[in-house]
Structure formats: C-alpha cells, structure tokens
Amino acid sequence: KKGQHQQLLWFLIDSGPIFRVARQGMSLRLDSEALEYALSLVGDIARCCFEIDTFEEELKMFLNMAVDMVELLEDKRSRTNSIWMIGMVARAMGKTSIGEKIPSLIRLLKPFLNPKFFNSGKEKRFDKDKDLEKGASSSIPNNAAIALGCVAGVAPDVVSLSEGLLASFLKEWSDHWSTHFKLRAAESDGKTKKKARYTGTEREECALSFSGMCNTVLLHKNNLSSDCLARFADAMRNFPEPTEELKKLFDKCKAVCNDKD
C-alpha cells in the first residue's frame, strides 16, 4: 500500500544512510546497474514522499546530477531513469525551490520525446510513420513525456512567461500519448485476448503528467494554435479510465479546445 510504502521510506530517510547510498550509486558512473538503481531510488522517494522540505538540499543536489547526466549517459536504463527522476524530483521540490529552472528543464527534456533517441541516445533519421509507434512504446520518450508534464505543472505561470515554450513541444507530447494509449489498448494476450492493463504506478505517473499539462494549457490557451489544442484533445480522449479529479480537468481543457475550433 502506498501509505505503508511512504512510512517505510520515511523510516529509511530518517535513519540517514539512504541518501548516502543513492549519492554513492550516482557517483559510480562506470557501474551502470548501481547508477540505474540509485536514480530510481531517488525518484521513488520524491514520488511517494511528496512534501519533504527537510531534504530540499539533497534533492537539489540529485536534480543537478541528473541534469548533468541526461545527455552524457550511454546506458539506456540509466538515461531513462535520470529523465524520469527529473520529473519526480521537480514535482516534489515545487515552484519556490526550482521555479526559475523550469524553462531550462523543459528545453533539456523535450528533445527526448523524439523517437530517434529510443536507442541508447544514438541519433538516427526520424521517420514519423515508421518510428512513432516504436517511440511510443520506448522508455526514453515515455519517461520524457511523464517528466515534461510534471515539470510544466510545477509552475504553469513560469512556462507561460517563456514565449513559445509550451507550443514548441505540446504537439509531440500529445502525439506521443495518443499513440502510446492506442498501442496499449490494442495489446492483447494471444490466448485470452485480454487487454493490457496499467499498473497503479503507471496510472499515477500518467495522471501526474496530464494534470500538470492540463493546468499549463489552461493558463496558456490563448497562445496555442487550433492544431496544437486538437492534438492535446486527442491525447485526453485516449487516456484510459481517468480519475474523477482528472476528468474535471479534462472537461475544462476540452471546453478550451472546442472554443478554439
């Protein structure tokens, strides 16, 4: 249960060594497995223990380390974990701590929505018709999409102050999720024909990303094109079983999208 998980993490944090272990793992860049788990550990702490002001300095340090590593890492799992961790840590730290960094974090993350990055960061020519589906099921673009929604949601007003920033990636973000959800809906077991299901964590992270992006779109609506909003509406339409809270946000955003038609 999430509550029990959170209590366990609080115990580990209060006991002292958990951040030292994570710091050591992130410093061992030659050991990709240690780095992968260290990044995941810090991201899980940030996701499950949402308000952890006591450890703001530690989180800021880990965020800076992850930012430095995102473009340098060759190991695919470590890279995708660092991208995901940025979203979770940014959300936990909030606007007061990292508001001024939001535009630079978005600029760092948005290239990874492009499926040409799905293969351990090695670039190749991007053919949308052939590669979009592959990218939508790849961990790097998927975690970039999660992180971008979380980062934007930290301070929608800061995003709106950077002219053209949201419009520069919202189409790709929306196309990614539309394709991702359609692919997952089409997945089935060859024998039982059961639809693929999302885990609780997957649903939570998708909801966090969409919640953040919805709030950003609502604030930024006058600066977005009809095409941009139409693609965002399609992503919302394909979201599987949103919570009641998310449905209310979707309704507000859909009204904005319809007004722009």
Side-chain angles (χ1 to χ4, degrees), residues 26 29 35 39 62-87 104-113 117 120-122 140 143-144 147 151:
M26 290 178 72
R29 299 194 184 186
L35 179 57
L39 290 161
F62 286 126
L63 180 63
N64 291 336
M65 291 176 72
V67 166
D68 289 340
M69 287 189 285
V70 161
E71 294 182 309
L72 300 175
L73 292 172
E74 291 296 329
D75 179 69
K76 180 179 178 181
R77 290 184 178 180
S78 295
R79 169 174 274 187
T80 194
N81 280 3
S82 65
I83 290 170
W84 169 80
M85 188 195 112
I86 288 172
S104 62
L105 289 176
I106 288 175
R107 293 186 184 98
L108 172 72
L109 293 168
K110 68 179 185 178
F112 292 98
L113 281 174
F117 286 98
S120 300
K122 295 179 181 178
I140 288 179
N143 279 336
V151 170

Side-chain angles (χ1 to χ4, degrees), residues 75-178:
D75 179 69
K76 180 179 178 181
R77 290 184 178 180
S78 295
R79 169 174 274 187
T80 194
N81 280 3
S82 65
I83 290 170
W84 169 80
M85 188 195 112
I86 288 172
M88 297 301 111
V89 171
R91 176 177 171 270
M93 293 183 69
K95 178 181 176 180
T96 303
S97 298
I98 62 162
E100 61 183 18
K101 291 186 177 181
I102 297 299
S104 62
L105 289 176
I106 288 175
R107 293 186 184 98
L108 172 72
L109 293 168
K110 68 179 185 178
F112 292 98
L113 281 174
N114 193 319
K116 71 183 180 182
F117 286 98
F118 78 89
N119 185 20
S120 300
K122 295 179 181 178
E123 295 190 22
K124 66 173 188 177
R125 179 174 295 177
F126 173 49
D127 183 324
K128 184 173 181 177
D129 292 334
K130 294 181 179 180
D131 288 348
L132 184 55
E133 288 191 2
K134 196 166 188 177
S137 61
S138 173
S139 56
I140 288 179
N142 203 55
N143 279 336
I146 290 171
L148 278 165
C150 291
V151 170
V154 170
D157 55 327
V158 174
V159 177
S160 66
L161 291 174
S162 299
E163 186 176 354
L165 183 60
L166 180 59
S168 71
F169 71 90
L170 185 59
K171 286 183 182 180
E172 280 188 291
W173 186 90
S174 301
D175 287 348
H176 169 85
W177 283 122
S178 293

Side-chain angles (χ1 to χ4, degrees), residues 163-222:
E163 186 176 354
L165 183 60
L166 180 59
S168 71
F169 71 90
L170 185 59
K171 286 183 182 180
E172 280 188 291
W173 186 90
S174 301
D175 287 348
H176 169 85
W177 283 122
S178 293
T179 306
H180 175 80
F181 291 143
K182 288 173 184 176
L183 284 174
R184 289 295 296 269
E187 287 178 1
S188 62
D189 183 286
K191 295 180 180 179
T192 64
K193 301 298 181 183
K194 286 185 177 180
K195 298 291 185 182
R197 294 185 177 182
Y198 289 81
T199 66
T201 299
E202 286 177 319
R203 286 185 180 278
E204 179 185 357
E205 291 175 356
C206 288
L208 290 175
S209 184
F210 269 79
S211 177
M213 199 60 74
C214 282
N215 287 322
T216 307
V217 167
L218 288 171
L219 193 62
H220 213 321
K221 57 188 178 184
N222 294 330

